[in-house]
Amino acid sequence: MRVHETDAVVVGAGPVGLFTVFQCGMVKVRCHVVDALGHVGGQLSALYPEKPIYDVPGHPRILASELVERLSAQAAPFDPVYHLGVTATTLTPEPDGRWRMGLGGDEEILARAVILASGGGAFAPKRPPLDGLEQYEGRGVFYSVPRREAFRDKRIVIAGGGDSAVDWAISLSEIAAKVSVVHRRPRFRAAPGAEAELLRLAEQGRIDLVIPTQLHALEGDNGHLEAVIVSTLEGETRRIPADALLAFFGLSGDVGPVAGWGLDMDGHAVTIDPASGAASRPGIFACGDICTYPGKLRLILTGFAEAARAAHSAHDVVHPGAALHFVHSTTAGVPGS
């Protein structure tokens, strides 16, 4: 058994987890980072690396992949140790106050503090209940857009009515041969500005709004998609020629082993004290979508603020009795700057 010793272990290498590493570094807390994915970036890298993000301060528009790249570079001077493609399975207290985290193999981490930044946990797309769906998945049916250019000059059907469906309909209308949007309601659950842009493009004939309808069947041969069949609420069907179906019905999350770590939870989220980021067991903190409290806003920028709070609280656990004299980054600098 190989045992790593560090100040804090951060569970989750998504955007909030990466910023947690930076904030910990600024208060002299060394970090190991654990993530079940084989790369950093969390959902941003796994599901929509080419999707633009508009609510990161100082960046009117930044691609998800670029944000991950910059957050990784920001954390790098503090030499975090990444354990990628492994799962944090067990968490048990030690007599000296540290926590022992099992990584599901022959490795463990001993740390004074644990900071949960694992978002919604392990996630999987919600799949539409269509006969024969499996034969098309990855060839004609997709649940994310890892590479926008792959859909150039294609006939695309997008199913869903949330932000992802609307945002990708707008984006792909620039390069696709045709974009059709299937939604069972006449209104969308997207940001008002995005919905207005979708309707404007529909009026111009650049997007076909097939509403209100729902997915009914897929048509094709040997995994090659040829058409998507939709039906109205009255049962009438319509055939839409298509090369690809993008199904955006959201994700089903599973916090996994965290649920068994004896923490107070509200649904699938860990309850914390927003004044400290502390969970219900000493030395454990949480930030980002994995945590909740009254008035919680599920935004990346909120997670960044929670990461700073958790890092400062972790300092008090890692360096008990040591005063933390807060210094702005412009004064303190970072290693190698």
Side-chain angles (χ1 to χ4, degrees), residues 68-237:
V68 170
E69 181 181 345
R70 294 191 178 198
L71 287 167
S72 299
Q74 191 174 29
F78 298 106
D79 297 321
V81 178
Y82 292 100
H83 305 266
L84 302 176
V86 297
T87 302
T89 55
T90 60
L91 186 66
T92 55
E94 292 289 297
D96 63 1
R98 291 187 293 177
W99 288 97
R100 182 180 295 270
M101 178 175 290
L103 301 185
D106 60 353
E107 289 187 287
E108 295 179 336
I109 301 175
L110 275 174
R112 289 284 176 190
V114 175
I115 303 177
L116 305 177
S118 49
F123 50 88
K126 295 180 180 178
R127 303 160 75 237
L130 299 174
D131 291 339
L133 177 68
E134 296 81 0
Q135 66 175 308
Y136 297 104
E137 290 179 319
R139 301 178 64 182
V141 175
F142 305 90
Y143 305 106
S144 64
V145 183
R147 195 169 67 87
R148 177 175 179 260
E149 192 62 25
F151 297 96
R152 179 174 291 277
D153 299 327
K154 303 291 186 181
R155 299 166 299 174
I156 310 299
V157 173
I158 294 178
D163 287 313
S164 292
V166 171
D167 290 346
W168 277 119
I170 294 170
S171 177
L172 292 175
S173 70
E174 300 172 359
I175 64 170
K178 183 179 181 181
V179 173
S180 302
V181 177
V182 174
H183 184 42
R184 63 183 303 167
R185 298 181 180 87
R187 296 296 304 272
F188 293 85
R189 307 180 313 278
E195 182 179 14
E197 177 65 6
L198 178 76
L199 297 177
R200 185 183 71 83
L201 292 173
E203 290 178 358
Q204 295 177 354
R206 295 172 58 187
I207 292 177
D208 183 18
L209 295 183
V210 189
I211 55 175
T213 60
Q214 57 190 357
L215 297 178
H216 181 75
L218 301 177
E219 185 179 296
D221 181 54
N222 199 27
H224 174 70
L225 186 66
E226 297 176 0
V228 174
I229 311 301
V230 300
S231 63
T232 66
L233 302 182
E234 291 76 30
E236 298 178 355
T237 60

Side-chain angles (χ1 to χ4, degrees), residues 11 87-91 116 118-122 253-271 280-281 284 290:
V11 181
T87 302
T89 55
T90 60
L91 186 66
L116 305 177
S118 49
D254 181 3
V255 297
V258 173
W261 289 354
L263 302 172
D264 290 346
M265 303 198 53
D266 182 358
H268 294 289
V270 174
T271 303
S280 57
R281 302 186 73 179
I284 301 180
I290 188 63

